[in-house]
Amino acid sequence: ANQAEMARIMLQDGLPTTEVQALLTEVNNDLYSHIVTFELERLADEGWGDPPIAFDVVVMGSGGRGESFLSPDQDNGFVLQEYPDAESGPIDAYFIELASRLCRTLDSVGIPFCRGHVMATNPLWRKHLGQWKQQVSYWLTRPTSATLRLCDIFFDFSAVYGKGDLTAELRRHVTSSVRHRYSFLRAMQQVQDDHGVALGPLGRLSLEHTPGYRESRINLKYHGLLPLIEGIRLLALREGIAPCSTLLRIVQLADRGVLDPSE
């Protein structure tokens, strides 16, 4: 509720929507950081000790791009320092507990659980750096509809807790691995085709025809923003551009001549 009021005041003052989104992202990321710190202290007080290895907490999707909307849900994961398989038992137990507490506390303060289970409580989103690299390689070589949708969520990630070194290394791996993977990028584009722009014949606005409260309206997120965000992301991945921000991607694509000034 406070974020909605803050956004209303900023828009009334004539600030660009991108600045509103950036501030919302900063507030949400700050919540993540404070909650992780709080839960680490609780774990230590309860006898779990300090984290056994270094780790980063990452957020994905609009939060990872710095483009948060109002009422976000959780899209988070852990990037852990690499460790020998023989040590996985106690290490995994610690981070399972931390993930559970983090996600429950986020839910309690107004960032609800992800209905698709894109959270660090799910082992798919809680891995050490080597496992993450293996996962990315697997996704790139098996572009099924399921793995492509996972990539769609994952590719826009950024650290909200930790030194960020592990996240930066994972970003370098993703950027170098995806670049020039034209068949993969084409497959990803096809999966995103249902997010078509809300334009019909002769360039007229195309309204929703699904019965219900959205009928005769336009879904601006799915048929306005997402086609732009996803198209720019595909071009950035093809060109080896690392930043997640849509605006930064556009600037760097323009600098490389991929987009001309009219675009």
Side-chain angles (χ1 to χ4, degrees):
N2 289 336
Q3 287 194 18
E5 178 63 13
M6 179 178 67
R8 185 187 67 80
I9 291 170
M10 292 177 71
L11 292 171
Q12 270 189 342
D13 289 343
L15 291 171
T17 306
T18 49
E19 290 191 22
V20 179
Q21 287 186 293
L23 184 58
L24 293 175
T25 302
E26 187 176 338
V27 171
N28 292 333
N29 291 354
D30 208 34
L31 279 171
Y32 265 93
S33 180
H34 280 293
I35 290 171
V36 174
T37 301
F38 173 72
E39 295 300 348
L40 289 174
E41 291 172 355
R42 285 184 62 207
L43 284 167
D45 290 343
E46 294 172 19
W48 288 81
D50 294 328
I53 53 175
F55 71 102
D56 289 346
V57 179
V58 297
V59 293
M60 294 166 271
S62 57
R65 292 190 300 273
E67 300 164 3
S68 289
F69 298 96
L70 293 169
S71 304
D73 64 354
Q74 296 182 39
D75 288 317
N76 58 59
F78 288 175
V79 182
L80 310 176
Q81 180 184 359
E82 291 189 59
Y83 55 85
D85 289 343
E87 299 176 16
S88 62
I91 291 176
D92 207 32
Y94 182 93
F95 286 106
I96 288 172
E97 182 66 20
L98 176 59
S100 177
R101 294 181 183 217
L102 168 64
C103 294
R104 284 201 310 267
T105 306
L106 284 166
D107 181 69
S108 73
V109 300
I111 302 181
F113 296 120
C114 174
R115 288 178 292 180
H117 302 287
V118 182
M119 298 177 290
T121 49
N122 182 344
L124 181 65
W125 307 106
R126 187 186 67 250
K127 302 179 186 297
H128 68 58
L129 183 59
Q131 292 168 334
W132 271 116
K133 289 180 177 180
Q134 291 174 354
Q135 182 71 79
V136 170
S137 298
Y138 176 83
W139 283 340
L140 293 179
T141 55
R142 292 167 177 81
T144 66
S145 60
T147 58
L148 288 164
R149 292 189 189 282
L150 293 175
C151 290
D152 185 54
I153 297 166
F154 169 68
F155 279 154
D156 294 339
F157 64 87
S158 63
V160 291
Y161 182 88
K163 292 183 178 180
D165 296 347
L166 297 165
T167 306
E169 174 58 29
L170 181 56
R171 171 60 60 195
R172 284 191 288 271
H173 177 76
V174 170
T175 302
S176 61
S177 298
V178 179
R179 189 176 190 183
H180 304 316
R181 290 268 190 158
Y182 301 124
S183 60
F184 172 83
L185 294 172
R186 173 68 68 182
M188 196 169 182
Q189 178 191 5
Q190 291 170 346
V191 166
Q192 295 168 350
D193 275 348
D194 59 341
H195 295 154
V197 178
L199 291 174
L202 307 178
R204 296 186 178 187
L205 292 174
S206 178
L207 305 179
E208 298 285 337
H209 298 297
T210 311
Y213 76 95
R214 289 196 178 98
E215 192 172 5
S216 300
R217 299 184 182 186
I218 298 172
N219 189 323
L220 291 176
K221 179 177 179 180
Y222 283 96
H223 300 299
L225 286 172
L226 280 186
L228 172 65
I229 290 166
E230 292 169 346
I232 292 296
R233 183 205 293 136
L234 287 170
L235 290 173
L237 290 170
R238 187 191 72 185
E239 298 298 317
I241 291 172
C244 292
S245 159
T246 303
L247 291 181
L248 281 177
R249 284 169 168 167
I250 289 172
V251 168
Q252 293 197 20
L253 287 167
D255 288 344
R256 297 184 186 199
V258 179
L259 299 175
D260 65 39
S262 65
E263 293 173 306

